[in-house]
Amino acid sequence: MSEWRDLFAPPAVGVGSFTCSFRVLRRHGHDLLALPLPRRAAARALTLYAAQTRFARCSKALLSAALRAGLPVPLPRVDLPVAENDPLLTWLRETLGTTIPPALAILAGNPFAPGRRFILLAFRDDDPAIVAKVGTSSEARTLIQAEATFLESVAGRRPHLPGFRGMKVTDTFSALALEFVDGRSPAATDTAGLRTVLQSWLDTAHPVALDTLAPWQRLATQAEARPIMERVADRAVAPALSHGDFAPWNVRVECASQRWTVIDWERGIAAGVPAWDWFHWMLHVSVLVHRHDTAASAEFLRAALQSPDFQEYARAAQITGLEDALLVGYLIYFHEFVLPPSPSWPLLLNLKTTIAALRDLFLARL
């Protein structure tokens, strides 16, 4: 298993070095977040952790207040000797336009997630400036390449996307850099903000047949999808820029403007199925935040379909009357093509089990 401490090259004999120092926040026995030593920077670096549960949000707020107030915090210190010519730090310096190693914060991520990537926050003059996503495994490097390629293809042409600052590929890692967004995750209940973003990604001027969209064509290869294919045959919809993992923790609401910026685009599709990002948000909030069982998740999704914000979005997307069929299609697609066959992370296993049960439930009601 790769670890965040292995991202940096240790100094070789005869090569200059310096020390990178961190305070480390751990969760469930694993490193979660490595914070820089300066307290103001450490408090600002907590933005990397998009806490969702009430307990996590309260813990994050308390830690931030303690750091800002100069109170002692029980976080172990880690000192890493790093070569002066370390390729990752050299690239970050070049991207920042500085000559000195930047202060860093590192989100270690989920150790059980396939394609584990590390999120680095690099500071310029004591202010966060660049967010870098770094991967060392082959799967992680493939995901980073996919995200960089997608962002380059849509940069500056679609709203609510992060500013892309470039990519770096070496023998040992792949990385991409984005402009830092000073903000927080939105409330899971902010469906007005959700509608604003997703509606801005609809191409309402150029409706296309649903069965011409690549994800829907892939879904059509599944035998259990036949009932919904018959229901939507020849139906035209507004294609949507699709994120593929649209959830509160992948959004930043800018403090000053309240504008939403959506991050993590490794599953991005320029012409995707409308409403699937909305369903993804609601399902993940239900299962991973509220910890609903299958029955409660089904009721939560039904209420989401009937909400005024979703109904307005549905009219713009030209999917009125197709909502149930699109929901079932999303559940089948996500279960078969996105989630790993045998998840090792307990929450992911529970999500997969719940999706299978919801798929069967909604299929039976079509």
Short mmCIF file of all heavy atoms in Angstrom, two decimals, residues 188-225:
data_model
loop_
_atom_site.label_atom_id
_atom_site.label_comp_id
_atom_site.label_asym_id
_atom_site.label_seq_id
_atom_site.Cartn_x
_atom_site.Cartn_y
_atom_site.Cartn_z
N ALA A 188 -25.77 19.19 2.28
CA ALA A 188 -26.34 18.11 1.46
C ALA A 188 -27.75 18.42 1.03
O ALA A 188 -28.25 17.86 0.05
CB ALA A 188 -26.31 16.80 2.26
N THR A 189 -28.42 19.34 1.73
CA THR A 189 -29.80 19.69 1.42
C THR A 189 -29.93 20.88 0.46
O THR A 189 -31.06 21.30 0.17
CB THR A 189 -30.54 20.04 2.73
OG1 THR A 189 -29.80 21.08 3.41
CG2 THR A 189 -30.64 18.82 3.63
N ASP A 190 -28.82 21.42 -0.01
CA ASP A 190 -28.86 22.61 -0.86
C ASP A 190 -29.22 22.23 -2.29
O ASP A 190 -28.39 22.25 -3.20
CB ASP A 190 -27.52 23.34 -0.81
CG ASP A 190 -27.57 24.70 -1.51
OD1 ASP A 190 -28.62 25.04 -2.09
OD2 ASP A 190 -26.54 25.41 -1.49
N THR A 191 -30.48 21.89 -2.50
CA THR A 191 -30.89 21.48 -3.84
C THR A 191 -31.01 22.65 -4.81
O THR A 191 -30.96 22.45 -6.02
CB THR A 191 -32.23 20.72 -3.79
OG1 THR A 191 -33.21 21.53 -3.13
CG2 THR A 191 -32.07 19.41 -3.05
N ALA A 192 -31.13 23.87 -4.28
CA ALA A 192 -31.15 25.04 -5.17
C ALA A 192 -29.78 25.22 -5.82
O ALA A 192 -29.67 25.46 -7.03
CB ALA A 192 -31.55 26.29 -4.39
N GLY A 193 -28.72 25.08 -5.02
CA GLY A 193 -27.37 25.15 -5.57
C GLY A 193 -27.10 23.99 -6.51
O GLY A 193 -26.47 24.15 -7.56
N LEU A 194 -27.58 22.82 -6.13
CA LEU A 194 -27.45 21.63 -6.97
C LEU A 194 -28.08 21.85 -8.33
O LEU A 194 -27.49 21.57 -9.39
CB LEU A 194 -28.11 20.46 -6.24
CG LEU A 194 -28.17 19.09 -6.89
CD1 LEU A 194 -26.77 18.54 -7.10
CD2 LEU A 194 -28.99 18.13 -6.04
N ARG A 195 -29.30 22.40 -8.33
CA ARG A 195 -30.00 22.65 -9.59
C ARG A 195 -29.27 23.69 -10.44
O ARG A 195 -29.15 23.52 -11.67
CB ARG A 195 -31.43 23.13 -9.31
CG ARG A 195 -32.20 23.51 -10.57
CD ARG A 195 -33.61 23.96 -10.24
NE ARG A 195 -33.65 25.01 -9.24
CZ ARG A 195 -33.38 26.29 -9.49
NH1 ARG A 195 -33.02 26.67 -10.71
NH2 ARG A 195 -33.44 27.19 -8.53
N THR A 196 -28.76 24.73 -9.81
CA THR A 196 -28.05 25.78 -10.56
C THR A 196 -26.87 25.20 -11.33
O THR A 196 -26.67 25.49 -12.51
CB THR A 196 -27.58 26.88 -9.61
OG1 THR A 196 -28.71 27.51 -9.01
CG2 THR A 196 -26.76 27.93 -10.35
N VAL A 197 -26.09 24.36 -10.66
CA VAL A 197 -24.91 23.78 -11.30
C VAL A 197 -25.32 22.80 -12.40
O VAL A 197 -24.87 22.91 -13.55
CB VAL A 197 -24.01 23.08 -10.26
CG1 VAL A 197 -22.89 22.31 -10.95
CG2 VAL A 197 -23.43 24.09 -9.28
N LEU A 198 -26.15 21.84 -12.07
CA LEU A 198 -26.48 20.80 -13.04
C LEU A 198 -27.27 21.35 -14.23
O LEU A 198 -27.11 20.87 -15.36
CB LEU A 198 -27.24 19.66 -12.36
CG LEU A 198 -26.45 18.87 -11.30
CD1 LEU A 198 -27.26 17.67 -10.82
CD2 LEU A 198 -25.10 18.43 -11.83
N GLN A 199 -28.07 22.36 -14.00
CA GLN A 199 -28.82 22.94 -15.10
C GLN A 199 -27.88 23.70 -16.05
O GLN A 199 -28.10 23.73 -17.26
CB GLN A 199 -29.92 23.86 -14.57
CG GLN A 199 -31.12 23.96 -15.49
CD GLN A 199 -32.36 24.45 -14.76
OE1 GLN A 199 -32.68 23.96 -13.68
NE2 GLN A 199 -33.04 25.42 -15.34
N SER A 200 -26.81 24.28 -15.49
CA SER A 200 -25.84 25.00 -16.33
C SER A 200 -25.04 24.06 -17.22
O SER A 200 -24.42 24.51 -18.19
CB SER A 200 -24.89 25.82 -15.45
OG SER A 200 -23.92 25.00 -14.82
N TRP A 201 -25.07 22.78 -16.91
CA TRP A 201 -24.32 21.79 -17.71
C TRP A 201 -25.19 21.12 -18.77
O TRP A 201 -24.72 20.23 -19.48
CB TRP A 201 -23.74 20.72 -16.79
CG TRP A 201 -22.64 21.22 -15.90
CD1 TRP A 201 -21.95 22.39 -16.00
CD2 TRP A 201 -22.09 20.54 -14.76
NE1 TRP A 201 -21.02 22.50 -15.00
CE2 TRP A 201 -21.09 21.37 -14.22
CE3 TRP A 201 -22.36 19.32 -14.13
CZ2 TRP A 201 -20.34 21.01 -13.09
CZ3 TRP A 201 -21.62 18.97 -13.01
CH2 TRP A 201 -20.62 19.81 -12.50
N LEU A 202 -26.43 21.51 -18.90
CA LEU A 202 -27.31 20.95 -19.92
C LEU A 202 -27.12 21.67 -21.25
O LEU A 202 -27.03 22.90 -21.29
CB LEU A 202 -28.77 21.07 -19.49
CG LEU A 202 -29.23 20.26 -18.27
CD1 LEU A 202 -30.64 20.66 -17.88
CD2 LEU A 202 -29.14 18.76 -18.54
N ASP A 203 -27.10 20.93 -22.31
CA ASP A 203 -27.08 21.52 -23.66
C ASP A 203 -28.52 21.50 -24.17
O ASP A 203 -28.92 20.66 -24.98
CB ASP A 203 -26.16 20.72 -24.57
CG ASP A 203 -25.98 21.38 -25.93
OD1 ASP A 203 -26.59 22.45 -26.16
OD2 ASP A 203 -25.24 20.83 -26.76
N THR A 204 -29.32 22.46 -23.69
CA THR A 204 -30.74 22.47 -24.01
C THR A 204 -31.02 22.83 -25.46
O THR A 204 -32.10 22.53 -25.98
CB THR A 204 -31.49 23.46 -23.09
OG1 THR A 204 -30.88 24.76 -23.23
CG2 THR A 204 -31.40 23.01 -21.64
N ALA A 205 -30.05 23.45 -26.12
CA ALA A 205 -30.25 23.88 -27.51
C ALA A 205 -30.06 22.75 -28.51
O ALA A 205 -30.43 22.88 -29.67
CB ALA A 205 -29.32 25.03 -27.85
N HIS A 206 -29.45 21.64 -28.06
CA HIS A 206 -29.15 20.55 -29.00
C HIS A 206 -29.58 19.20 -28.41
O HIS A 206 -28.72 18.36 -28.07
CB HIS A 206 -27.65 20.54 -29.33
CG HIS A 206 -27.15 21.82 -29.90
ND1 HIS A 206 -26.59 22.82 -29.13
CD2 HIS A 206 -27.15 22.27 -31.19
CE1 HIS A 206 -26.24 23.83 -29.90
NE2 HIS A 206 -26.58 23.53 -31.16
N PRO A 207 -30.88 18.98 -28.26
CA PRO A 207 -31.33 17.68 -27.74
C PRO A 207 -30.94 16.54 -28.68
O PRO A 207 -30.85 16.73 -29.90
CB PRO A 207 -32.85 17.84 -27.65
CG PRO A 207 -33.18 18.95 -28.60
CD PRO A 207 -32.00 19.87 -28.60
N VAL A 208 -30.68 15.38 -28.08
CA VAL A 208 -30.29 14.20 -28.86
C VAL A 208 -31.09 13.00 -28.35
O VAL A 208 -31.64 13.01 -27.25
CB VAL A 208 -28.78 13.91 -28.73
CG1 VAL A 208 -27.95 15.07 -29.25
CG2 VAL A 208 -28.41 13.58 -27.27
N ALA A 209 -31.17 11.98 -29.15
CA ALA A 209 -31.81 10.74 -28.71
C ALA A 209 -31.01 10.15 -27.55
O ALA A 209 -29.77 10.07 -27.61
CB ALA A 209 -31.89 9.75 -29.86
N LEU A 210 -31.70 9.75 -26.51
CA LEU A 210 -31.03 9.21 -25.32
C LEU A 210 -30.13 8.04 -25.69
O LEU A 210 -29.02 7.89 -25.16
CB LEU A 210 -32.08 8.80 -24.29
CG LEU A 210 -31.58 8.26 -22.95
CD1 LEU A 210 -30.68 9.26 -22.24
CD2 LEU A 210 -32.77 7.89 -22.07
N ASP A 211 -30.58 7.20 -26.62
CA ASP A 211 -29.81 6.00 -26.95
C ASP A 211 -28.58 6.29 -27.81
O ASP A 211 -27.87 5.38 -28.21
CB ASP A 211 -30.68 4.92 -27.60
CG ASP A 211 -31.40 5.40 -28.83
OD1 ASP A 211 -31.02 6.47 -29.37
OD2 ASP A 211 -32.35 4.73 -29.26
N THR A 212 -28.29 7.58 -28.09
CA THR A 212 -27.04 7.93 -28.77
C THR A 212 -25.95 8.34 -27.78
O THR A 212 -24.79 8.51 -28.19
CB THR A 212 -27.26 9.09 -29.76
OG1 THR A 212 -27.63 10.28 -29.04
CG2 THR A 212 -28.33 8.76 -30.78
N LEU A 213 -26.29 8.48 -26.50
CA LEU A 213 -25.30 8.87 -25.50
C LEU A 213 -24.49 7.65 -25.08
O LEU A 213 -25.03 6.58 -24.81
CB LEU A 213 -26.00 9.49 -24.29
CG LEU A 213 -26.78 10.78 -24.57
CD1 LEU A 213 -27.54 11.24 -23.33
CD2 LEU A 213 -25.84 11.89 -25.06
N ALA A 214 -23.17 7.81 -25.02
CA ALA A 214 -22.27 6.68 -24.78
C ALA A 214 -22.60 5.91 -23.50
O ALA A 214 -22.62 4.67 -23.51
CB ALA A 214 -20.83 7.16 -24.77
N PRO A 215 -22.84 6.57 -22.34
CA PRO A 215 -23.16 5.78 -21.14
C PRO A 215 -24.44 4.97 -21.29
O PRO A 215 -24.53 3.85 -20.79
CB PRO A 215 -23.31 6.86 -20.05
CG PRO A 215 -22.58 8.04 -20.56
CD PRO A 215 -22.75 8.02 -22.04
N TRP A 216 -25.44 5.53 -22.00
CA TRP A 216 -26.69 4.79 -22.19
C TRP A 216 -26.48 3.59 -23.12
O TRP A 216 -27.07 2.52 -22.92
CB TRP A 216 -27.76 5.72 -22.74
CG TRP A 216 -29.15 5.19 -22.55
CD1 TRP A 216 -29.92 4.57 -23.48
CD2 TRP A 216 -29.92 5.22 -21.35
NE1 TRP A 216 -31.13 4.22 -22.94
CE2 TRP A 216 -31.16 4.59 -21.63
CE3 TRP A 216 -29.69 5.70 -20.06
CZ2 TRP A 216 -32.16 4.45 -20.67
CZ3 TRP A 216 -30.68 5.56 -19.10
CH2 TRP A 216 -31.89 4.94 -19.41
N GLN A 217 -25.62 3.75 -24.11
CA GLN A 217 -25.31 2.64 -25.00
C GLN A 217 -24.59 1.52 -24.23
O GLN A 217 -24.84 0.33 -24.47
CB GLN A 217 -24.44 3.12 -26.16
CG GLN A 217 -25.17 4.03 -27.13
CD GLN A 217 -24.26 4.59 -28.20
OE1 GLN A 217 -23.04 4.62 -28.06
NE2 GLN A 217 -24.86 5.06 -29.29
N ARG A 218 -23.73 1.90 -23.32
CA ARG A 218 -23.05 0.90 -22.50
C ARG A 218 -24.05 0.20 -21.57
O ARG A 218 -23.99 -1.02 -21.38
CB ARG A 218 -21.95 1.57 -21.67
CG ARG A 218 -20.99 0.60 -21.02
CD ARG A 218 -19.90 1.31 -20.26
NE ARG A 218 -18.92 0.39 -19.74
CZ ARG A 218 -18.02 0.69 -18.80
NH1 ARG A 218 -17.98 1.93 -18.31
NH2 ARG A 218 -17.16 -0.22 -18.37
N LEU A 219 -24.97 0.98 -21.02
CA LEU A 219 -26.01 0.40 -20.17
C LEU A 219 -26.84 -0.62 -20.94
O LEU A 219 -27.26 -1.64 -20.38
CB LEU A 219 -26.91 1.52 -19.63
CG LEU A 219 -28.12 1.11 -18.81
CD1 LEU A 219 -27.70 0.45 -17.50
CD2 LEU A 219 -29.01 2.32 -18.54
N ALA A 220 -27.07 -0.37 -22.23
CA ALA A 220 -27.92 -1.25 -23.05
C ALA A 220 -27.33 -2.65 -23.19
O ALA A 220 -28.05 -3.57 -23.60
CB ALA A 220 -28.13 -0.63 -24.42
N THR A 221 -26.04 -2.84 -22.86
CA THR A 221 -25.44 -4.18 -22.93
C THR A 221 -25.88 -5.07 -21.78
O THR A 221 -25.62 -6.27 -21.80
CB THR A 221 -23.91 -4.08 -22.94
OG1 THR A 221 -23.46 -3.53 -21.68
CG2 THR A 221 -23.43 -3.20 -24.09
N GLN A 222 -26.54 -4.50 -20.77
CA GLN A 222 -26.98 -5.26 -19.61
C GLN A 222 -28.40 -5.77 -19.82
O GLN A 222 -29.32 -5.00 -20.11
CB GLN A 222 -26.92 -4.40 -18.35
CG GLN A 222 -25.54 -3.87 -18.03
CD GLN A 222 -24.57 -5.00 -17.73
OE1 GLN A 222 -24.77 -5.79 -16.79
NE2 GLN A 222 -23.49 -5.08 -18.52
N ALA A 223 -28.60 -7.08 -19.67
CA ALA A 223 -29.91 -7.68 -19.91
C ALA A 223 -30.98 -7.09 -19.01
O ALA A 223 -32.13 -6.88 -19.44
CB ALA A 223 -29.82 -9.19 -19.70
N GLU A 224 -30.63 -6.77 -17.77
CA GLU A 224 -31.64 -6.24 -16.84
C GLU A 224 -32.09 -4.83 -17.20
O GLU A 224 -33.08 -4.33 -16.64
CB GLU A 224 -31.08 -6.26 -15.41
CG GLU A 224 -29.81 -5.45 -15.24
CD GLU A 224 -29.11 -5.77 -13.94
OE1 GLU A 224 -29.80 -6.11 -12.97
OE2 GLU A 224 -27.88 -5.68 -13.90
N ALA A 225 -31.39 -4.19 -18.13
CA ALA A 225 -31.77 -2.83 -18.54
C ALA A 225 -32.81 -2.82 -19.66
O ALA A 225 -33.27 -1.75 -20.05
CB ALA A 225 -30.52 -2.05 -18.97
#
